[in-house]
Amino acid sequence: MSTLDLGVIGNCNIAALVDAQATIVWGCFPRMDGDAVFHALLNEGKGDGMFSIELVDQLHSEQAYLPNSAILRTTLYDHHGGIAEVVDFAPRFALYERIFRPPMIVRRIRAIQGRPRVLVRLRPGFENGGLKPQLTRGSNHLRYVSPAQTLRLTTNAPVSYITEERPFVLDRPIDMLLGSDESLQAGVETTARDLFERTLDHWRSWVRSLSIPFEWQDAVIRAAITLKLCNFEETGAIVAALTTSIPEAPETQRNWDYRFCWLRDAYFVIHALNRLGVTRTMEDYLRFINDIVEEAQDGELRPVYGITRDTSIDEITIPHLAGYRDFGPVRVGNQAHIQIQNDVYGSVVLASTHAFFDQRLAHPGNAALFEQLERLGNRAVAVFDKPDAGPWELRTIASVHTFSSVMCWAACDRLAKIARHIGQTDRAIYWRREADRLHAIICQRAWNAEKGCFASTFDGDELDATLLLLHEVDFLAADDPRFAATVDAVAGTLRTGDFLYRYVAEDDFGRPSTAFLICVFWYIDALAALGRHDEARALFETVLARRNPLGLLSEDIDPRSGELWGNFPQTYSMVGLINCAMRLSRNWEDAF
């Protein structure tokens, strides 16, 4: 049965998921949002859409990343004492003053002990598994051909054994390079070794440049690498996850495609990148967002964009894929791109504020950017009290969501601060006046006097987890009694065990049955802001223990069983981990 005990490899162009037995069960080409030629994760038991390496009479396996890298090592054991090692990675390193990140996966196999017999099954399927490739071969390569693209496997293994799926003795190291239909410029072993050494050196150099907390260093480093793997570096976009249609919970049809860039994530992602000191990635992401702002007509933004700012991401189903554990449907595209979600204006302004205050950036904010952001501010003022789909993207229910209104206020608040910083006093006065006006209205309409806390909608009585962010975005001071009351009310309503639901009200698909992982990180941050540090640290340690064996998190978790659900790996979850660790850790100065 499929699980999310998976590792991710990638190079900020493509990415693939590898299960605990060294089978690639998910991977898209020629980029991370492309054709899922490896799709076994969503079509379990059908025998295709995968790239497996197994030992004859295999007994068990072990798996770990090479320290401080995105290179995954799986050790396979057979019943006869044979041991083999599989090392998987996607090449990434500096070459000719730019980053070399080809759409390629490298698999290196060698015997560690005995004479293990290895069986290779390479079964890609094009058009998300709907088209079986044509196969051609050469002396040291195989070509998997479709009208849209061709993948070439170049290897020093016997290609006939691969095409016939016939086991052979692993009496020498084997290398397999799968990628574009291009010939190698050197020998297979020489090329694979060179790619491995350069990629390992690149990742370790990248990790050395990180700013990390004293505590939970391994967890933060792994989260940082995973966050980077969700970055489509060519444009600067950062996807919400690398998969589609892993359900939020079984038998719910809450199956969505997350291989896109949500503007709502921008503030939290930028915050994490800033804390890590990953300024180049942060600046590239800001440039991606600013290009969206530049194109926005009348300052109107969509909630989600493709990784090249594509807006044609209409949602369709793929009927020939059964779904994760047969829990369909499998969807490609996301209907959320046509929804009205008014929080996006604040999210973009909050993220862009860094450009005006972070002196490390090569392209700081200026008057022209401020003028663009003012268009978003005008839009925020116009829609702050209008119904929308809300932060949880309700498909048939529209309300005036408190979070959306607060983020519109945040747009005005940050524009006032930016204007003051760049010396535009008149605009600073204007935006401060608008921010104060919105703040008063939100406090009047969203505060539920009967419950003694803020509600998730204007004049409503339901609660949702975004209310935990009222201090995070500076809408309420940490010592404001309304904040403490709201945090306690949210926990009392949404917490089950160690985790929190997004909300418990019924939506388009019924009541949620799994907890949303980012919500527990928001709760931990709120506890820390309230001075409840011991409680926050204890809960953070508990959440860390729920990561998969390789230190990764998905979107959702069953609060009772601890099983991970939802798209994987989830950017929001990894960002939440990073931000909490940074907030809670002891200072380096106090550590020794």
Side-chain angles (χ1 to χ4, degrees), residues 437-506:
R437 182 176 68 86
L438 267 60
H439 196 282
I441 295 172
I442 295 168
C443 287
Q444 179 185 3
R445 297 287 305 279
W447 178 258
N448 186 305
E450 183 177 342
K451 288 181 174 290
C453 65
F454 281 90
S456 60
T457 60
F458 277 18
D459 307 317
D461 56 8
E462 300 286 351
L463 304 179
D464 82 295
T466 58
L467 297 170
L468 297 168
L469 298 170
L470 293 176
H471 170 64
E472 174 69 28
V473 299
D474 294 332
F475 186 81
L476 294 178
D479 58 0
D480 189 321
R482 294 175 297 178
F483 177 58
T486 300
V487 170
D488 287 341
V490 168
T493 303
L494 304 183
R495 185 172 180 177
T496 296
D498 296 315
F499 297 94
L500 281 79
Y501 292 98
R502 293 169 288 183
Y503 49 84
V504 292
E506 189 164 320

